[in-house]
Amino acid sequence: MPDVTAGATAAYLAVPPGPAGSPGPAGSPGPAGSPGPWPGVVVIHEAFGLNADTRAHADRLAALGYLALAPDLLDGKLWLRCIQSMFRQLRAGSGPAFEVLDGCRDWLAARPDCTGKTGVIGFCMGGGFALLCAPRGKYSAVAVNYGMVPADAEAALAGACPVIGSYGGRDTMGVSHPQRLEAALTALEVPHDVKVYPEAGHSFMSPKPAAMKPLTALARLTYDKAAAEDAWQRIFAFFGTYLR
């Protein structure tokens, strides 16, 4: 899968593979390996930037028949120099990162191998950005994975597209975020699926290097395969409903 430039933004593009005309996997929007067009999904990375883990998420989406684009919101810069700016933009609900995401979504939707229908998925910091993309009028579905939910969620999400959210019950951020999200989407009558996995912590969908196991266990960042696989199955079913 290639590294590309979407507008002025460095990104990773994952294109659905497989022999033309073969049947797609369960949850696929169409035949695997067909010439397309396919629905598009913007993949927003965690706070650590566009890394192998984010690329793997994009590849997984492509394997199920989605054209996946993962932009580098940190623009290759050091994490510590950018992270404060990213979270300021999250709290404000506006800023350059949202403009980058809008541009990447438009670039993806304009490709001849994209149907023009797009979703967005985000993890951790990216989950917060993905959620705030929901009411921007550009997406048909949003997947939020352990992302920050605004305190004024009902006001912030007015006009949102369908949202699926996955959270860990042992997340150090607590469970107020998914509770607030569930309440806001219910009040707004937005189609949604919000689930908390009681034994999972933060970042439970991302495998960690063995050398980091003591640190990740202490910080409750351990990969939880059962919860992760269930979350992915829910996401693919949700995207299958709203992106086809």
Side-chain angles (χ1 to χ4, degrees):
M1 303 294 179
D3 288 311
V4 298
T5 301
T9 304
Y12 176 74
L13 177 68
V15 179
S22 63
S28 170
S34 71
W38 303 285
V41 178
V42 176
V43 184
I44 312 178
H45 56 70
E46 294 188 346
F48 300 108
L50 178 55
N51 54 20
D53 183 57
T54 308
R55 289 178 169 87
H57 292 326
D59 289 343
R60 184 164 189 161
L61 285 156
L64 267 289
Y66 295 93
L67 191 65
L69 181 71
D72 182 5
L73 291 185
L74 303 188
D75 195 26
K77 297 183 176 67
L78 291 176
W79 175 74
L80 289 175
R81 293 182 180 177
C82 298
I83 195 63
Q84 289 183 330
S85 171
M86 291 290 109
F87 279 98
R88 278 198 300 269
Q89 292 177 64
L90 269 180
R91 286 190 291 270
S94 63
F98 288 97
E99 296 170 10
V100 167
L101 291 171
D102 284 346
C104 286
R105 181 268 167 200
D106 293 344
W107 181 91
L108 185 63
R111 285 176 58 94
D113 53 359
C114 183
T115 62
K117 204 164 198 178
T118 55
V120 59
I121 184 171
F123 303 83
C124 182
M125 178 193 80
F129 277 105
L131 181 60
L132 293 182
C133 286
R136 293 174 75 84
K138 288 179 173 284
Y139 295 98
S140 297
V142 166
V144 183
N145 301 295
Y146 32 88
M148 185 173 72
V149 178
D152 57 343
E154 190 171 335
L157 297 176
C161 66
V163 175
I164 179 169
S166 301
Y167 296 84
R170 300 184 70 245
D171 194 320
T172 53
M173 292 173 61
V175 295
S176 62
H177 292 272
Q179 290 171 348
R180 192 157 58 244
L181 180 59
E182 173 70 40
L185 295 175
T186 298
L188 293 167
E189 299 184 341
V190 172
H192 64 278
D193 171 9
V194 177
K195 184 172 181 177
V196 176
Y197 295 91
E199 300 304 315
H202 192 75
S203 193
F204 68 86
M205 294 175 70
S206 298
K208 311 296 189 299
M212 293 179 62
K213 188 173 182 179
L215 177 61
T216 57
L218 182 64
R220 297 182 188 175
L221 299 174
T222 303
Y223 173 62
D224 187 319
K225 183 177 180 179
E229 290 303 316
D230 185 77
W232 276 115
Q233 290 304 312
R234 289 171 45 247
I235 290 166
F236 287 134
F238 199 83
F239 279 3
T241 297
Y242 293 103
L243 293 184
R244 274 192 295 216

